[in-house]
PDB file of all heavy atoms in Angstrom:
ATOM      1  N   ILE A  84      -1.448  24.115 -22.531  1.00  0.00           N
ATOM      2  CA  ILE A  84      -1.762  23.066 -23.520  1.00  0.00           C
ATOM      3  C   ILE A  84      -1.395  23.574 -24.911  1.00  0.00           C
ATOM      4  O   ILE A  84      -1.760  24.706 -25.277  1.00  0.00           O
ATOM      5  CB  ILE A  84      -3.287  22.718 -23.452  1.00  0.00           C
ATOM      6  CG1 ILE A  84      -3.689  22.251 -22.071  1.00  0.00           C
ATOM      7  CG2 ILE A  84      -3.609  21.666 -24.526  1.00  0.00           C
ATOM      8  CD1 ILE A  84      -3.013  20.995 -21.566  1.00  0.00           C
ATOM      9  N   ASN A  85      -0.717  22.753 -25.685  1.00  0.00           N
ATOM     10  CA  ASN A  85      -0.363  23.088 -27.044  1.00  0.00           C
ATOM     11  C   ASN A  85      -1.604  22.980 -27.930  1.00  0.00           C
ATOM     12  O   ASN A  85      -2.026  21.869 -28.260  1.00  0.00           O
ATOM     13  CB  ASN A  85       0.760  22.175 -27.544  1.00  0.00           C
ATOM     14  CG  ASN A  85       1.279  22.557 -28.915  1.00  0.00           C
ATOM     15  OD1 ASN A  85       0.625  23.308 -29.639  1.00  0.00           O
ATOM     16  ND2 ASN A  85       2.432  22.050 -29.274  1.00  0.00           N
ATOM     17  N   SER A  86      -2.193  24.104 -28.287  1.00  0.00           N
ATOM     18  CA  SER A  86      -3.435  24.088 -29.049  1.00  0.00           C
ATOM     19  C   SER A  86      -3.237  23.742 -30.536  1.00  0.00           C
ATOM     20  O   SER A  86      -4.196  23.569 -31.269  1.00  0.00           O
ATOM     21  CB  SER A  86      -4.175  25.430 -28.939  1.00  0.00           C
ATOM     22  OG  SER A  86      -3.397  26.472 -29.478  1.00  0.00           O
ATOM     23  N   ALA A  87      -1.987  23.565 -30.952  1.00  0.00           N
ATOM     24  CA  ALA A  87      -1.730  23.128 -32.324  1.00  0.00           C
ATOM     25  C   ALA A  87      -1.841  21.612 -32.447  1.00  0.00           C
ATOM     26  O   ALA A  87      -1.904  21.075 -33.568  1.00  0.00           O
ATOM     27  CB  ALA A  87      -0.334  23.580 -32.775  1.00  0.00           C
ATOM     28  N   LYS A  88      -1.917  20.921 -31.329  1.00  0.00           N
ATOM     29  CA  LYS A  88      -2.063  19.459 -31.340  1.00  0.00           C
ATOM     30  C   LYS A  88      -3.516  19.086 -31.630  1.00  0.00           C
ATOM     31  O   LYS A  88      -4.441  19.882 -31.429  1.00  0.00           O
ATOM     32  CB  LYS A  88      -1.668  18.878 -29.965  1.00  0.00           C
ATOM     33  CG  LYS A  88      -0.240  19.083 -29.596  1.00  0.00           C
ATOM     34  CD  LYS A  88       0.672  18.196 -30.396  1.00  0.00           C
ATOM     35  CE  LYS A  88       2.108  18.346 -29.970  1.00  0.00           C
ATOM     36  NZ  LYS A  88       2.972  17.450 -30.689  1.00  0.00           N
ATOM     37  N   PRO A  89      -3.766  17.851 -32.097  1.00  0.00           N
ATOM     38  CA  PRO A  89      -5.136  17.408 -32.328  1.00  0.00           C
ATOM     39  C   PRO A  89      -5.961  17.487 -31.037  1.00  0.00           C
ATOM     40  O   PRO A  89      -5.402  17.357 -29.925  1.00  0.00           O
ATOM     41  CB  PRO A  89      -4.979  15.952 -32.771  1.00  0.00           C
ATOM     42  CG  PRO A  89      -3.586  15.873 -33.314  1.00  0.00           C
ATOM     43  CD  PRO A  89      -2.767  16.852 -32.485  1.00  0.00           C
ATOM     44  N   GLU A  90      -7.243  17.690 -31.171  1.00  0.00           N
ATOM     45  CA  GLU A  90      -8.133  17.881 -30.012  1.00  0.00           C
ATOM     46  C   GLU A  90      -8.044  16.712 -29.014  1.00  0.00           C
ATOM     47  O   GLU A  90      -8.010  16.949 -27.802  1.00  0.00           O
ATOM     48  CB  GLU A  90      -9.573  18.070 -30.511  1.00  0.00           C
ATOM     49  CG  GLU A  90     -10.539  18.402 -29.419  1.00  0.00           C
ATOM     50  CD  GLU A  90     -11.935  18.646 -29.934  1.00  0.00           C
ATOM     51  OE1 GLU A  90     -12.111  18.874 -31.145  1.00  0.00           O
ATOM     52  OE2 GLU A  90     -12.869  18.603 -29.107  1.00  0.00           O
ATOM     53  N   LYS A  91      -7.998  15.497 -29.501  1.00  0.00           N
ATOM     54  CA  LYS A  91      -7.922  14.346 -28.587  1.00  0.00           C
ATOM     55  C   LYS A  91      -6.613  14.325 -27.841  1.00  0.00           C
ATOM     56  O   LYS A  91      -6.572  13.930 -26.662  1.00  0.00           O
ATOM     57  CB  LYS A  91      -8.119  13.037 -29.365  1.00  0.00           C
ATOM     58  CG  LYS A  91      -9.553  12.877 -29.839  1.00  0.00           C
ATOM     59  CD  LYS A  91      -9.758  11.624 -30.631  1.00  0.00           C
ATOM     60  CE  LYS A  91     -11.201  11.577 -31.112  1.00  0.00           C
ATOM     61  NZ  LYS A  91     -11.429  10.482 -32.041  1.00  0.00           N
ATOM     62  N   ARG A  92      -5.541  14.762 -28.462  1.00  0.00           N
ATOM     63  CA  ARG A  92      -4.259  14.841 -27.780  1.00  0.00           C
ATOM     64  C   ARG A  92      -4.315  15.918 -26.684  1.00  0.00           C
ATOM     65  O   ARG A  92      -3.804  15.717 -25.591  1.00  0.00           O
ATOM     66  CB  ARG A  92      -3.128  15.161 -28.786  1.00  0.00           C
ATOM     67  CG  ARG A  92      -1.782  15.329 -28.136  1.00  0.00           C
ATOM     68  CD  ARG A  92      -1.318  14.028 -27.515  1.00  0.00           C
ATOM     69  NE  ARG A  92      -0.023  14.232 -26.904  1.00  0.00           N
ATOM     70  CZ  ARG A  92       0.521  13.392 -26.054  1.00  0.00           C
ATOM     71  NH1 ARG A  92      -0.100  12.275 -25.724  1.00  0.00           N
ATOM     72  NH2 ARG A  92       1.689  13.620 -25.546  1.00  0.00           N
ATOM     73  N   GLN A  93      -4.944  17.049 -26.991  1.00  0.00           N
ATOM     74  CA  GLN A  93      -5.083  18.115 -25.990  1.00  0.00           C
ATOM     75  C   GLN A  93      -5.895  17.631 -24.788  1.00  0.00           C
ATOM     76  O   GLN A  93      -5.570  17.964 -23.638  1.00  0.00           O
ATOM     77  CB  GLN A  93      -5.767  19.341 -26.594  1.00  0.00           C
ATOM     78  CG  GLN A  93      -4.953  20.059 -27.644  1.00  0.00           C
ATOM     79  CD  GLN A  93      -5.692  21.215 -28.215  1.00  0.00           C
ATOM     80  OE1 GLN A  93      -6.184  22.077 -27.488  1.00  0.00           O
ATOM     81  NE2 GLN A  93      -5.812  21.268 -29.549  1.00  0.00           N
ATOM     82  N   TYR A  94      -6.910  16.855 -25.063  1.00  0.00           N
ATOM     83  CA  TYR A  94      -7.784  16.307 -24.004  1.00  0.00           C
ATOM     84  C   TYR A  94      -6.974  15.431 -23.048  1.00  0.00           C
ATOM     85  O   TYR A  94      -7.033  15.591 -21.834  1.00  0.00           O
ATOM     86  CB  TYR A  94      -8.886  15.515 -24.699  1.00  0.00           C
ATOM     87  CG  TYR A  94      -9.931  14.901 -23.803  1.00  0.00           C
ATOM     88  CD1 TYR A  94     -10.914  15.673 -23.218  1.00  0.00           C
ATOM     89  CD2 TYR A  94      -9.963  13.506 -23.620  1.00  0.00           C
ATOM     90  CE1 TYR A  94     -11.904  15.055 -22.438  1.00  0.00           C
ATOM     91  CE2 TYR A  94     -10.940  12.932 -22.849  1.00  0.00           C
ATOM     92  CZ  TYR A  94     -11.917  13.707 -22.241  1.00  0.00           C
ATOM     93  OH  TYR A  94     -12.887  13.141 -21.472  1.00  0.00           O
ATOM     94  N   PHE A  95      -6.194  14.494 -23.584  1.00  0.00           N
ATOM     95  CA  PHE A  95      -5.372  13.645 -22.724  1.00  0.00           C
ATOM     96  C   PHE A  95      -4.277  14.450 -22.043  1.00  0.00           C
ATOM     97  O   PHE A  95      -3.966  14.219 -20.863  1.00  0.00           O
ATOM     98  CB  PHE A  95      -4.750  12.470 -23.510  1.00  0.00           C
ATOM     99  CG  PHE A  95      -3.975  11.562 -22.588  1.00  0.00           C
ATOM    100  CD1 PHE A  95      -4.617  10.595 -21.842  1.00  0.00           C
ATOM    101  CD2 PHE A  95      -2.604  11.712 -22.453  1.00  0.00           C
ATOM    102  CE1 PHE A  95      -3.903   9.785 -20.954  1.00  0.00           C
ATOM    103  CE2 PHE A  95      -1.872  10.895 -21.578  1.00  0.00           C
ATOM    104  CZ  PHE A  95      -2.531   9.930 -20.828  1.00  0.00           C
TER     105      PHE A  95
END
Side-chain angles (χ1 to χ4, degrees):
I84 302 297
N85 186 343
S86 63
K88 296 287 183 176
E90 187 177 342
K91 289 178 183 173
R92 178 64 181 167
Q93 292 179 53
Y94 182 75
F95 183 82

